[in-house]
Amino acid sequence: MDPLPKSGQPEYIKGQWNVNAEGILSQTGNREQCLALCKSVIDNDHYTVKCRARKDSGAEGFIIVFNYVDDKNYCWVNFGGWTNSQHAIEQISNGGKLLADSKRGRVEPGRWYDVTLQVAGDSVKAWLDNELVFDTVLKHDDTKGVFSSATIDDASGELIVKVANTSDAATTARLNLKNFKPASREHARYTHCHPSCGATALTREWQHSAGCTSLLAEYRQDQVSSSKEGSGVV
């Protein structure tokens, strides 16, 4: 890889890596699916990443990782995979791999490529030099479980957390409010009946309390909970 962003040493997840005096990151082993991460945080789902990459030797090409959450949830563009015979965009979700798109292709050893990756929500475009290799949409993850998101309303000063339980079983979740001291909180529970019961009504319950530092809530099937001013990330 061409010189890294000036954001400290990369994090080596898998493989044998080295950064030379010019700041070029290289993989020196022959293991598959080697992974190193630059510690630059992109706090937006619309972004463009540009870099230069080169295959020196070995059976495979090179991989550009994006949308990284943790070592079990991320995406990558694989140029010259499958013994340098195919390009692909793959999604890793909860440790499982999903093929989003692929096409025949290879990369030449010893040649520097200009790589451009453009992400706009679920839409992904990827170029090798000036060739548009992919213009695709990521696949939706149908994995069942408890999911959450959090945002801050700058105008009102509210911290808003949404939690959804998409599984078939009731569960509990604790919202951690460490380093956040709300004056009060509001808790809204939205319940949608399962289609098998024949009901389509959406019910809502409100709770309000002051000085809350944590919240323990029960999330049943098809429920969404939104908490304001006293919430944290599950």
Side-chain angles (χ1 to χ4, degrees):
M1 293 295 179
D2 221 7
L4 298 169
K6 295 180 179 179
S7 55
Q9 287 294 315
E11 180 180 358
Y12 305 139
I13 306 299
K14 182 180 178 181
Q16 298 172 307
W17 297 91
N18 177 63
V19 178
N20 66 17
E22 288 75 33
I24 297 176
L25 175 66
S26 60
Q27 168 36 46
T28 58
N30 289 317
R31 297 179 63 184
E32 294 184 353
Q33 300 179 7
C34 297
L35 188 62
L37 299 176
C38 299
K39 295 182 179 180
S40 298
V41 177
I42 301 175
D43 56 355
N44 199 311
D45 63 355
H46 286 60
Y47 59 88
T48 299
V49 174
K50 294 184 178 182
C51 65
R52 301 179 73 224
R54 184 183 71 198
K55 166 187 168 66
D56 288 329
S57 62
E60 303 292 317
F62 48 80
I63 287 173
I64 309 299
V65 177
F66 65 101
N67 286 4
Y68 186 89
V69 177
D70 53 40
D71 61 357
K72 296 185 182 300
N73 296 276
Y74 56 92
C75 302
W76 66 31
V77 186
N78 188 349
F79 292 113
W82 292 268
T83 61
N84 202 15
S85 65
Q86 185 170 309
H87 305 320
I89 293 180
E90 298 176 274
Q91 298 170 237
I92 291 80
S93 178
N94 295 321
K97 190 183 294 184
L98 179 68
L99 183 64
D101 201 354
S102 66
K103 65 182 300 184
R104 299 289 295 180
R106 65 186 304 274
V107 294
E108 298 177 17
R111 171 184 170 184
W112 280 106
Y113 288 88
D114 291 314
V115 180
T116 301
L117 177 67
Q118 187 178 87
V119 178
D122 290 336
S123 299
V124 179
K125 294 181 180 180
W127 288 262
L128 271 181
D129 290 335
N130 294 320
E131 178 191 356
L132 178 61
V133 180
F134 292 111
D135 184 356
T136 189
V137 177
L138 297 176
K139 297 183 182 297
H140 292 289
D141 184 4
D142 295 328
T143 304
K144 293 184 177 181
V146 177
F147 302 90
S148 66
S149 65
T151 186
I152 293 179
D153 187 330
D154 293 330
S156 65
E158 293 179 332
L159 173 64
I160 303 170
V161 176
K162 297 180 181 179
V163 182
N165 179 16
T166 64
S167 70
D168 298 327
T171 188
T172 59
R174 183 176 297 276
L175 307 185
N176 185 1
L177 303 181
K178 183 179 180 181
N179 300 324
F180 186 80
K181 297 180 180 179
S184 64
R185 73 164 175 85
E186 291 180 351
H187 170 220
R189 171 178 291 173
Y190 296 84
T191 306
H192 192 285
C193 294
H194 193 274
S196 62
C197 73
T200 58
L202 187 67
T203 62
R204 183 177 70 179
E205 302 173 10
W206 281 95
Q207 298 177 7
H208 179 83
S209 64
C212 174
T213 57
S214 66
L215 171 65
L216 182 64
E218 183 179 21
Y219 300 98
R220 297 189 181 278
Q221 181 179 350
D222 296 323
Q223 288 185 347
V224 177
S225 174
S226 173
S227 300
K228 300 179 179 180
E229 292 194 336
S231 306
V233 179
V234 172

